[in-house]
Amino acid sequence: MDKRSEANRQTRVSIARALLHLLGSKEFSDITVTDIVEEAHVARASYYRNFSSKEDILVNAGRLIMDDFGKAIGEIEGGCLSYEGVVLTFRYFREYRIELLRLHEAGFTSIYERLFQEYVACAAKGRIPRGMLRYGVSFYTGALFNVYVRWLENGMKESPERMASLFYTMMAAAFESVGTSFMESDKLDKAVGVHRCETVAEER
């Protein structure tokens, strides 16, 4: 990559990160181009050279979030299809709760669901039977993302571990009901155990 291309890439990253940072304190609709370029420390012309709208930035910002997520989960065997990966998924997206809540309220949740689905589709190859890959991944990511959104809307009162045990148990049962399972039995046992222990504690 030549210096000019790299400089342009860095500008796009700076603008995307600036928008994410601003979402921590302002509503999406209230953020102006001036706010973004000042936060990113770039020229206004650089903004218009790289993006046509704030919505365009959201896609780029979403890819940054997913790139960081991929690095964080890359060392976990099975990625976000494993129990530990699901725990990390809930932990990671909790870090972006303010920004994602703002975007959810502004009606842009689908952007991040699609990017998350693209990521999982790549990670799932070889773990979900090819005949089920397209729809299986859509089923899995849709369920995980929508559980996350409901958790987000409810103020994230439960721990990431609690959410992961609930989700992993439900999804394992769903996939087993159609004759396929990509979830490790020992991880499932662990998730079920955590779920039962926490349920007993809540009842007390």
Side-chain angles (χ1 to χ4, degrees):
M1 182 181 294
D2 60 40
K3 291 182 179 180
R4 188 171 185 176
S5 297
E6 174 59 20
N8 197 53
R9 187 189 72 81
Q10 288 294 337
T11 296
R12 292 175 64 85
V13 169
S14 296
I15 291 172
R17 293 197 182 282
L19 179 57
L20 287 175
H21 186 263
L22 288 166
L23 283 168
S25 58
K26 302 184 73 171
E27 299 289 341
F28 179 77
S29 59
D30 293 333
I31 297 173
T32 66
V33 173
T34 299
D35 292 331
I36 295 171
V37 297
E38 288 182 352
E39 180 68 30
H41 303 291
V42 299
R44 199 178 187 88
S46 297
Y47 172 93
Y48 288 111
R49 185 168 60 247
N50 287 280
F51 300 103
S52 59
S53 66
K54 290 189 295 183
E55 289 76 12
D56 192 21
I57 302 174
L58 290 183
V59 176
N60 199 63
R63 294 195 185 284
L64 287 177
I65 291 175
M66 292 313 305
D67 285 346
D68 288 344
F69 174 71
K71 292 173 185 176
I73 207 169
E75 297 181 2
I76 295 178
E77 184 178 356
C80 56
L81 298 179
S82 70
Y83 174 68
E84 288 81 3
V86 174
V87 173
L88 189 146
T89 299
F90 281 105
R91 285 178 182 166
Y92 184 81
F93 286 107
R94 184 174 62 176
E95 294 180 17
Y96 285 93
R97 61 189 179 278
I98 296 175
E99 295 89 343
L100 291 174
L101 182 59
R102 301 271 191 195
L103 293 173
H104 175 57
E105 292 171 343
F108 297 111
T109 312
S110 61
I111 291 176
Y112 294 90
E113 182 176 5
R114 177 170 54 81
L115 292 171
F116 184 60
Q117 182 173 322
E118 290 175 1
Y119 171 81
V120 177
C122 291
K125 289 179 180 177
R127 294 183 60 82
I128 295 179
R130 180 173 296 180
M132 287 189 64
L133 184 61
R134 176 178 299 175
Y135 300 112
V137 167
S138 295
F139 177 68
Y140 182 83
T141 55
L144 179 54
F145 198 85
N146 281 286
V147 167
Y148 165 75
V149 168
R150 182 56 59 89
W151 184 50
L152 178 69
E153 291 174 333
N154 290 339
M156 296 183 165
K157 299 179 179 66
E158 300 86 356
S159 69
E161 292 75 15
R162 167 68 167 165
M163 295 304 300
S165 66
L166 287 169
F167 177 79
Y168 201 81
T169 303
M170 290 187 293
M171 290 304 297
F175 271 85
E176 286 174 359
S177 71
V178 294
T180 186
S181 177
F182 56 82
M183 296 178 171
E184 303 93 330
S185 60
D186 60 323
K187 308 300 184 184
L188 176 56
D189 291 341
K190 178 180 179 181
V192 172
V194 171
H195 174 55
R196 286 175 177 167
C197 289
E198 290 180 338
T199 300
V200 170
E202 287 178 354
E203 290 176 349
R204 290 177 180 173

